[in-house]
Amino acid sequence: MTAKLIDGKAISKALKADVRVATDALVARGARRPGLAVVLVGSDPASSIYVRNKRISCEETGIHSVSHDLPAETSEATLLALIDQLNADPAIDGILVQSPLPKHISEHAVIERIDPSKDVDGFHPYNVGRLATRQPLMRPCTPYGVMIMLEKMGLSVRGKDAVVVGQSNIVGRPMALELLMASATITVCHSKTRDLKAEVGRAEVLVVGTGKPNMIPGSWIREGAIVVDVGINRMPDGKICGDVEFAPAAERAGWITPVPGGVGPMTIAALMKNTLESTLLRQGIAL
């Protein structure tokens, strides 16, 4: 393997340690700890794991976590009423409603009901708009985590050709905005892209988030590229793989994220950082 591994697990651990220092400093000054409300509707196994990991991260970072586990048959009106209650709660700085939601509940309605200043997922149209106009407030966690990770590795994207594969609201679109804000030249690819191989082949920075295992053959990767694989897919044999064919990609790339242990831990660490930044804004404190 020629590529250097981008160790998201180690970087996220350091970031969470920084958040812990900051939350303890808040308490030492007589301020309250940041509060994060985590709402889970139903018992989707993957969602339950993600929520458990987020609660563990809250313990590690000194963030007060409040859990709301609701049955799958919970009505949209009931969920929106809970969000209204959390919006009004001065002890809550962040509201996270775990997706996917049951089909009878509109994700858009839920996202738009959350107070943008408490939208620590960074999905509210207000926060996406702030990012698009280079005035970020709450930044979408996965793209934000990727940018922190690249910065910590000393990898600048300034002036580089960056290709994002996938155009989801959670990863692809905000990732393109993050890269653009960092002065990269952006191409976003999707299912209608005519020559994906050619687009990937010219990418100095490649970010892939499609949820399709090994969708990008390693042979497509440009020599020396920075490869960020957002995908996490469980295969029939129980193994986890990303959206990029790792072994051959690592022979061509300059830098590459592993799966698992790359982007995943950074998403949760960025969530903790967003919650800290929210409480600083809400409490009017500068650390």
Side-chain angles (χ1 to χ4, degrees), residues 21-142:
V21 169
T23 58
D24 287 348
L26 275 176
V27 175
R29 294 174 57 165
R32 61 173 174 78
R33 287 198 178 275
L36 175 64
V38 181
V39 181
L40 177 64
V41 184
S43 55
D44 177 78
S47 292
S48 298
I49 292 169
Y50 290 142
V51 166
R52 187 175 72 238
N53 288 341
K54 287 164 184 173
R55 288 170 182 158
I56 291 169
S57 290
C58 282
E59 291 175 20
E60 293 171 344
T61 53
I63 290 171
H64 177 57
S65 175
V66 179
S67 301
H68 293 273
D69 294 346
L70 307 177
E73 61 271 17
T74 298
S75 69
E76 182 176 302
T78 299
L79 178 56
L80 294 178
L82 172 60
I83 292 170
D84 290 342
Q85 177 188 325
L86 296 171
N87 282 338
D89 187 340
I92 296 297
D93 301 292
I95 301 169
L96 185 151
V97 180
Q98 183 64 43
S99 62
L101 290 167
K103 289 181 179 176
H104 65 277
I105 298 176
S106 164
E107 296 222 4
H108 291 298
V110 168
I111 290 167
E112 293 195 11
R113 194 65 160 252
I114 296 170
D115 179 339
S117 71
K118 296 189 178 189
D119 168 39
V120 285
D121 261 335
F123 295 159
H124 193 287
Y126 175 83
N127 285 320
V128 178
R130 293 276 306 217
L131 182 59
T133 54
R134 293 179 285 185
Q135 305 171 81
L137 187 62
M138 295 290 105
R139 294 159 73 171
C141 295
T142 297

Side-chain angles (χ1 to χ4, degrees), residues 3-8 146 149-150 153 155 157 160-163 165 175 200-201 203-209 216-231 242-259 262-263:
K4 295 179 182 177
L5 281 183
I6 302 174
D7 189 349
V146 169
M149 186 169 62
L150 295 178
M153 295 298 295
L155 297 171
V157 301
K160 288 187 168 68
D161 282 330
V163 173
V165 182
M175 188 75 249
V200 169
E204 295 172 276
V205 180
L206 177 68
V207 183
V208 185
I216 305 298
S219 60
W220 289 7
I221 304 299
R222 176 175 174 157
E223 290 282 351
I226 300 166
V227 177
V228 177
D229 190 347
V230 181
D243 294 351
V244 177
E245 193 183 16
F246 182 81
E251 292 176 7
R252 300 178 60 82
W255 300 83
I256 192 168
T257 60
V259 178
V263 175

